[in-house]
């Protein structure tokens, strides 16, 4: 599933304005068989920088001056944002995630040891190196109930995803409308329409990006400075984005040449799940992101040029959910009381809970921000940079009746 999830995530990335290569659907069984908890840790470590940088992008590009628009005036602008990924978010450490730690299990009444094996503990995140990242192998060591010999079995092999080899995450330009209101207040709204695409195996429902915000002149409420020749304001913005990807169901398969144990087979003691009583048709990935920011801004206008700076506190959360139920082959079944049980040697079926992987990728940061706007009659050009954990750069053009 590693390759599959990467493909799924890449589609969201392309919609959002970034790049990625794909996960292959064929690895979904190995991914789940490797353990849902380990899958969550691995996927979160790999994909978290995407969710965090996407949230940083949602919080950028809201303003181009501290001065609110005068009542009745407006500006329609198109803003593009790019978030830069810090160096320590381009790799993750498998040892630090606990993948080297052995896990004790019980199989057929005997103690078994489960452990991941790999050569290099440092692996790339989605924004890391594009070189081959290698694989990790989960082994299970246990006593064979038939021969009594110790067996070292390879449970799963996961090819680790490589990165895209770039250290930034762009987002598609989102149109934004600002309107001036009385009392030194300006309201803002942004909206990027959604899109639906369908291929032979997947369908994507991208529901776009929307946001709302306001800016308010606070200098008017501070005695002694309201007549000084600069603008001082507070600004707030909230954004949200959602997408869903559905794909052809990944059905459980027994190892090559083998069969699943069947509870309906005559003479059997096996009571596990049958392979035909679970609906695997609702598999997919859901993506949700929300973000808000609060700004303290000061600006100065000289002729057609406005320069501004200030502080921004922002929070964002991106959630990725692996939807549906997934089934994989577990260990071979053995009926200790009946060596002639026709299910002996067949593989048990393991079904996950519905929506087995749910990841939250939060980000909170304080940023120094600065930028400028160049206004020429009814046209403007502007740019902004913020310095923080995930620094961003925004740029755009605007049209309207501006101050």
């Amino acid at each position: 599933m590693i390759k599959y999830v990467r493909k799924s995530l890449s589609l969201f990335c392309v919609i959002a304005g970034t790049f990625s290569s794909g996960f292959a659907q064929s690895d979904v069984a190995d991914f789940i068989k490797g353990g849902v908890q380990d899958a969550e840790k691995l996927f979160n470590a790999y994909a978290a920088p995407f969710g965090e940088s996407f949230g940083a992008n949602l919080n950028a590009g809201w303003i181009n001056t501290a001065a609110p628009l005068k009542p009745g005036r407006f500006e329609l602008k198109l803003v593009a944002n790019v978030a830069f990924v810090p160096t320590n978010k381009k790799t993750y450490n498998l040892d630090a995630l606990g993948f080297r730690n052995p896990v004790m299990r019980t199989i057929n009444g005997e103690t078994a040891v489960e452990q991941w094996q790999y050569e290099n503990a440092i692996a790339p995140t989605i924004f890391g190196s594009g070189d081959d990242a290698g694989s990790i192998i989960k082994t299970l060591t246990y006593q064979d109930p038939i021969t009594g010999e110790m067996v070292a079995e390879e449970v799963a092999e996961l090819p680790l995803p490589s990165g895209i080899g770039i250290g930034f995450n762009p987002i598609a330009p989102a149109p934004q409308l600002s309107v001036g209101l009385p009392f030194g207040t300006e309201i803002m709204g942004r909206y990027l329409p959604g899109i639906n695409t369908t291929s032979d195996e997947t369908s994507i429902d991208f529901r776009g990006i929307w946001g709302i915000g306001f800016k308010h002149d606070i200098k008017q409420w501070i005695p002694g400075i309201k007549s000084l020749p600069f603008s001082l304001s507070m600004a707030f913005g909230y954004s949200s984005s959602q997408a869903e990807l559905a794909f052809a169901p990944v059905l459980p398969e027994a190892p090559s040449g083998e069969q699943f144990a069947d509870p309906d087979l005559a003479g059997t003691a096996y009571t596990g799940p049958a392979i035909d009583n679970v609906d695997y048709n609702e598999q997919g990935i859901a993506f949700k992101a929300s973000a808000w920011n609060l700004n303290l801004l000061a600006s100065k206008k000289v002729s057609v040029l406005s320069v501004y700076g200030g502080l921004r506190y922002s929070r964002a959360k991106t959630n990725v959910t692996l939807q549906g139920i997934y089934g994989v082959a577990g260990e071979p079944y053995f009926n200790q009381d009946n060596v002639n049980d026709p299910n002996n040697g067949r593989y048990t079926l393991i079904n996950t809970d519905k929506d087995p992987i749910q990841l939250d990728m939060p980000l909170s940061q304080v940023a120094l921000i600065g930028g400028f706007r160049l206004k020429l009659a009814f046209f403007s050009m502007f740019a902004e940079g913020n310095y923080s954990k995930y620094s961003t750069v925004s740029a755009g053009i605007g049209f309207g009746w501006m101050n």
Side-chain angles (χ1 to χ4, degrees), residues 83-267:
F84 295 91
V85 180
T87 301
N88 64 353
K89 292 292 185 176
K90 295 179 182 179
T91 60
Y92 61 93
N93 190 315
L94 291 164
D95 287 351
L97 295 175
F99 276 82
R100 191 83 72 178
N101 300 338
V103 177
M104 309 306 292
R105 295 179 51 188
T106 300
I107 297 180
N108 301 312
E110 300 291 337
T111 299
V113 178
E114 186 177 77
Q115 189 173 23
W116 288 102
Q117 309 288 340
Y118 45 86
E119 294 183 3
N120 189 359
I122 305 301
T125 69
I126 186 171
F127 293 106
S129 170
D131 297 337
D132 184 5
S135 300
I136 61 175
I137 298 173
K138 176 175 277 191
T139 59
L140 185 66
T141 304
Y142 62 96
Q143 186 177 39
D144 188 301
I146 303 299
T147 65
E149 297 179 351
M150 295 301 296
V151 176
E153 177 182 338
E154 181 179 305
V155 177
E157 180 177 0
L158 305 184
L160 295 174
S162 56
I164 59 177
I166 63 174
F168 59 90
N169 182 9
I171 193 171
Q176 181 174 314
L177 177 64
S178 301
V179 178
L181 299 177
F183 309 109
T185 301
E186 174 187 322
I187 60 170
M188 303 173 285
R190 58 168 52 166
Y191 180 65
L192 180 67
I195 187 173
N196 294 290
T197 63
T198 302
S199 66
D200 293 339
E201 294 187 350
T202 62
S203 64
I204 305 170
D205 178 17
F206 176 64
R207 299 173 186 174
I209 298 173
W210 68 269
I212 190 168
F214 70 87
K215 186 193 302 177
H216 182 71
D217 174 16
I218 62 172
K219 193 180 72 167
Q220 63 183 312
W221 308 110
I222 304 175
I225 70 167
K226 60 183 181 181
S227 60
L228 296 179
F230 69 93
S231 299
L232 184 66
S233 66
M234 297 286 293
F236 174 84
Y238 173 84
S239 301
S240 179
S241 180
Q242 293 187 43
E244 287 191 359
L245 182 146
F247 47 83
V250 180
L251 303 177
E253 295 183 4
S256 179
E258 304 294 340
Q259 294 178 298
F260 282 114
D262 187 349
D264 297 325
L265 196 62

Side-chain angles (χ1 to χ4, degrees), residues 347-364:
Y347 282 77
T348 59
L349 175 66
I350 300 173
N351 282 317
T352 68
D353 294 331
K354 187 174 182 179
D355 302 346
I357 296 178
Q358 300 185 45
L359 303 177
D360 288 326
M361 305 171 187
L363 175 70
S364 61

Side-chain angles (χ1 to χ4, degrees), residues 263-343:
D264 297 325
L265 196 62
T268 185
Y270 176 69
T271 58
I275 61 174
D276 296 325
N277 64 357
V278 174
D279 183 5
Y280 298 104
N281 291 313
E282 297 183 356
Q283 296 172 355
I285 290 182
F287 172 90
K288 297 179 181 180
S290 61
W292 62 266
N293 62 87
L294 183 64
N295 306 266
L296 176 63
L297 308 165
S299 70
K300 174 65 177 177
K301 182 180 179 183
V302 178
S303 184
V304 296
L305 179 66
S306 295
V307 179
Y308 69 92
L311 292 172
R312 171 179 298 153
Y313 175 72
S314 63
R315 301 195 69 174
K317 184 172 75 170
T318 301
N319 175 270
V320 177
T321 301
L322 180 65
Q323 296 179 315
I325 299 174
Y326 300 81
V328 298
E331 289 86 23
Y333 167 81
F334 291 99
N335 182 356
Q336 302 290 344
D337 299 324
N338 181 6
V339 295
N340 296 317
D341 188 329
N343 265 328

